[in-house]
């Protein structure tokens, strides 16, 4: 698979991939949401940013606001009767399961694009507690050791902004060899992060948080400066 041209591409009739190139060279960032259909804040955050004409200042920005449209329409983790897309990587182009075919196409895209950063926007029903495994809400999850340098920088900026009750963000080392992020990091060497907001907050607040994480990550790697 070759790199995508700027514009909107479709892997299936409803899976849209938005590709933007900046006038200046720089790294590639790939941001995706909606791989689990009941985790909506990241989807809405990316849709809002696209509606506001988010563009890179350097390099390339690839945005996939809804990775699993049938699951999102059903507001379920997986599509009705389907598989967990996040556990289908690296996928198989010949598999009868839609999710494994899609995972393979997405892997081919990632291998062609070689992003410096891939962030997957998730949500969790459980607020992070180091004594409770698993619990993810309000964390940046990574699966490599040592922690990627972008993680503590981003957390410090998030915690300077979000200071309400239970809003503190934490790092979490939680490698899952079968997750899309871990498979992609192993294949490309990129920085791969899972962004987890806690569903105990109102949806609007979670969307605000997801937007902030995306903006901070893009600013950190130099793809896009923070909004004025």
């Amino acid at each position: 698979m070759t790199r995508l041209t700027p514009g909107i591409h479709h892997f299936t009739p409803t899976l849209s991939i938005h590709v933007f190139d900046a006038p200046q060279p720089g790294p590639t960032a790939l941001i995706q949401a909606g791989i689990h259909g009941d985790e909506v804040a990241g989807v809405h955050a990316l849709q809002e940013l696209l509606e506001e004409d988010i563009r890179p200042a350097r390099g390339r920005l690839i945005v996939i606001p809804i990775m699993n449209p049938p699951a999102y329409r059903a507001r379920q983790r997986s599509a009705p009767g389907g598989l967990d897309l996040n556990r289908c990587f690296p996928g198989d182009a010949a598999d009868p399961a839609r999710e494994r075919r899609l995972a393979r196409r997405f892997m081919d895209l990632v291998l062609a694009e070689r992003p410096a950063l891939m962030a997957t926007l998730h949500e969790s029903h459980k607020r992070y507690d180091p004594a409770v495994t698993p619990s993810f809400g309000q964390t940046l999850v990574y699966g490599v050791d040592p922690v990627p340098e972008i993680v503590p920088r981003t957390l410090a900026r998030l915690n300077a902004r979000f200071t309400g009750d239970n809003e503190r963000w934490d790092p979490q080392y939680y490698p899952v060899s079968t997750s899309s992020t871990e498979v992609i990091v192993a294949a490309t060497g990129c920085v791969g992060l899972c962004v987890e907001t806690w569903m105990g907050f109102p949806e609007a607040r979670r969307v605000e948080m997801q937007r902030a994480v995306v903006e901070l990550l893009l600013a950190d790697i130099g793809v896009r400066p923070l909004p004025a």
Side-chain angles (χ1 to χ4, degrees), residues 101-173:
R101 296 195 306 273
L102 176 57
R104 184 65 257 171
R105 290 203 70 187
F106 188 71
M107 279 298 301
D108 291 342
L109 166 67
V110 171
L111 292 172
E113 295 289 346
R114 294 282 169 175
L117 168 73
M118 192 196 77
T120 305
L121 309 186
H122 285 274
E123 299 206 82
S124 177
H125 290 283
K126 293 182 180 179
R127 175 71 172 82
Y128 173 64
D129 181 339
V132 177
T133 303
S135 59
F136 294 103
Q138 301 307 106
T139 63
L140 295 184
V141 184
Y142 59 96
V144 296
D145 187 22
V147 55
E149 294 180 358
I150 195 172
V151 170
R153 292 195 298 262
T154 303
L155 290 171
R157 291 161 183 154
L158 284 170
N159 287 327
R161 175 171 173 178
F162 296 102
T163 59
D165 291 344
N166 289 316
E167 288 188 343
R168 176 180 172 79
W169 286 76
D170 287 289
Q172 184 165 191
Y173 173 65

Side-chain angles (χ1 to χ4, degrees), residues 145-224:
D145 187 22
V147 55
E149 294 180 358
I150 195 172
V151 170
R153 292 195 298 262
T154 303
L155 290 171
R157 291 161 183 154
L158 284 170
N159 287 327
R161 175 171 173 178
F162 296 102
T163 59
D165 291 344
N166 289 316
E167 288 188 343
R168 176 180 172 79
W169 286 76
D170 287 289
Q172 184 165 191
Y173 173 65
Y174 197 87
V176 179
S177 61
T178 57
S179 76
S180 62
T181 303
E182 294 304 302
V183 173
I184 288 167
V185 168
T188 68
C190 72
V191 173
L193 301 175
C194 291
V195 178
E196 296 271 4
T197 42
W198 178 44
M199 291 182 182
F201 295 122
E203 183 179 300
R205 188 60 164 171
R206 287 150 38 210
V207 172
E208 182 182 359
M209 290 175 176
Q210 294 276 8
R211 286 185 56 139
V213 176
V214 171
E215 290 169 347
L216 289 169
L217 291 175
L218 295 180
D220 193 285
I221 69 169
V223 167
R224 181 174 183 264

Side-chain angles (χ1 to χ4, degrees), residues 34-146:
I35 200 166
H36 291 143
D38 57 344
E39 300 171 12
V40 303
V43 172
H44 297 169
L46 293 184
Q47 288 175 328
E48 286 184 7
L49 290 169
L50 288 169
E51 289 165 5
E52 294 167 15
D53 293 326
I54 185 173
R55 294 293 185 273
R58 294 178 59 244
R60 168 172 274 216
L61 174 61
I62 303 172
V63 177
I64 306 175
I66 308 176
M67 270 290 293
N68 195 343
Y72 176 72
R73 290 194 297 270
R75 296 300 196 270
Q76 296 179 9
R77 182 177 179 88
S78 305
L83 304 175
D84 183 343
L85 177 57
N86 202 40
R87 296 294 184 268
C88 290
F89 285 76
D92 182 344
D95 196 283
R98 176 190 65 88
E99 291 85 355
R100 292 196 178 99
R101 296 195 306 273
L102 176 57
R104 184 65 257 171
R105 290 203 70 187
F106 188 71
M107 279 298 301
D108 291 342
L109 166 67
V110 171
L111 292 172
E113 295 289 346
R114 294 282 169 175
L117 168 73
M118 192 196 77
T120 305
L121 309 186
H122 285 274
E123 299 206 82
S124 177
H125 290 283
K126 293 182 180 179
R127 175 71 172 82
Y128 173 64
D129 181 339
V132 177
T133 303
S135 59
F136 294 103
Q138 301 307 106
T139 63
L140 295 184
V141 184
Y142 59 96
V144 296
D145 187 22

